[in-house]
Amino acid sequence: MRFSLRSKIILQNAMILILLFSAIFFIITNTLYSTVINKTVESLNSDLSFYQKYISGFIANQTLSQAFDSLISKSPFFCAYIGNKLGIQTEIYNNRKELLGISYPKNSYYVYQDVYYASNGKRTYIIKNTGGTQTLFISCPIYHENEVIGCLRYVYPLRQEMELLYKNTYVILLLGVVSLFTGGVISYFYAYSITRPLVKLKDEADKIAEGTFNEKISISSNDEIQDLSSSFNIMAEKLSKYINNLKQEKQKQKRFVDNVAHELKTPLTSIIGYSDILPKIKDKKDFETATGYINQQGKRLLELVEEMLYMSNLGRSEFELNISAFDIKKAVIECIQALSPRFDKFGIKTEADLQSLLVLADYAKTQEVILNILDNCIKHSDCTVIHINGRSSESTYLLDIIDNGDGISKDDLEKIFEPFYTTGKNQKKSSGLGLFIAREIMKKQNGSITIISEENNYTRVTLSLRKGVDSV
């Protein structure tokens, strides 16, 4: 059988209340019973002591045999007198436990342990159930010259005392029932206050399972449940972001696959097309032209595959960089010198305003990033001047590469770092992997790359590098 959490809390509290009430009820009733009996025994003992002395005084000046005879002859008188005086059953026994006198002969009782103990010189009492009534039997010895010659016994039905106990018991039971009912009501609302936010959390979890992440849970209980709801909201928010990121990555992967297919299709189409017409070409010059195109497109295809393999390696943990401190000015000048023939060919002037400064990065990979950026300036910007400036902060070095070319549109700027993405007018000039690779390299060496551009005006690429130890 399945129990709800609310039912479990109510049942648990009910069991605790019942056990607690049972313990309290047992302690109170037993304490009350002991108190009533002790008070009754104390009162009877006082009277018993008085009449014990009275009888002992009556036979005090007699010999032992005379005392025995007097006790036998006077016991009915003593019992009648004490019984009428106190309104209680009174009995006198000799030291052989034989009944000598009784105040109410019609009410005869057994000789119990109290008489035996009293005949041996020990005062005691017992309680017996006689005829459906709790009855107190209390006995004390009768002495003559320090020798027990008999005993005096009171027989006291505890009717009034038991009636008082029963009434008190009923009152305690009634209070217990009221307390249990009140505790049950309180337990119900307490369980409800605990389970209501949990039910709310469950409902929200069901909504999340169905794909709804936008609703916030508002619980003000000032306890762990409120903390749980806050954590739940944070979890839902992170899940929403994570799923959105997954959707974006899925779209990026789709665009990547589409772009790869497109990039591979173009050279493959050319290769297949020229290879189909090769058997039909008879002119040597046309044959060489066709094979030249096949070779050119094959190299382009190989270049694409190598760039994709390189890009794949960038994402692997085993791809390591050789981080060291080197002079950033020296690295940039070498890049400019390597591309100077191309700058001259396209009529591009370079201006470098740099200072010798140590940075922490991979020397070769950093030059690869700079060469890639400068190559993009040559291929895509139609610029005439490239400014290369350095600026320093407390722990980083910022390298700015600025051209005065065509710039990049806002739409293209948002996607410029995606693999295989190229701007509209330059789609045939590159694979679109250069900037993606540059960004991944900068990330690997704890740096960054950012691009700011204004169409038909300029483009600024900024590399952020860590300073070397001697530079800080």
Side-chain angles (χ1 to χ4, degrees), residues 310 314 319-328 330-332 334-335 338 359-373 437-438 441-442 444-445 463 465:
Y310 184 69
L314 279 174
F319 184 87
E320 296 181 356
L321 298 174
N322 183 20
I323 304 296
S324 61
F326 62 86
D327 185 358
I328 186 63
K330 178 176 177 293
V332 174
E334 287 180 359
C335 292
V359 295
L360 283 174
D362 184 299
Y363 187 84
K365 298 301 180 186
T366 302
Q367 281 195 326
E368 183 180 341
V369 172
I370 296 170
L371 287 169
N372 185 283
I373 296 168
I437 292 172
I441 291 174
M442 293 305 295
K444 288 274 186 182
Q445 55 190 16
L463 300 180
L465 298 158

Side-chain angles (χ1 to χ4, degrees), residues 14-83:
M15 291 176 65
I16 292 172
L17 286 172
I18 290 171
L19 290 174
L20 185 61
F21 172 74
S22 299
I24 293 173
F25 177 78
F26 177 79
I27 293 171
I28 291 176
T29 52
N30 277 275
T31 302
L32 188 60
Y33 179 81
S34 299
T35 302
V36 171
I37 296 301
N38 289 335
K39 289 291 183 182
T40 304
V41 170
E42 184 180 348
S43 175
L44 292 176
N45 262 328
S46 177
D47 291 330
L48 200 62
S49 298
F50 175 80
Y51 288 107
Q52 176 198 34
K53 293 177 181 179
Y54 173 78
I55 295 170
S56 296
F58 184 83
I59 60 176
N61 297 322
Q62 299 176 5
T63 63
L64 183 60
S65 61
Q66 289 174 341
F68 273 116
D69 293 337
S70 295
L71 186 63
I72 293 171
S73 62
K74 297 297 183 182
S75 287
F77 167 77
F78 288 141
C79 290
Y81 173 74
I82 297 171

Side-chain angles (χ1 to χ4, degrees), residues 161-179:
E161 287 75 9
M162 297 308 297
E163 185 178 352
L164 176 64
L165 288 174
Y166 291 147
K167 287 181 179 179
N168 287 325
T169 301
Y170 293 145
V171 171
I172 294 171
L173 284 173
L174 180 60
L175 289 174
V177 171
V178 172
S179 299

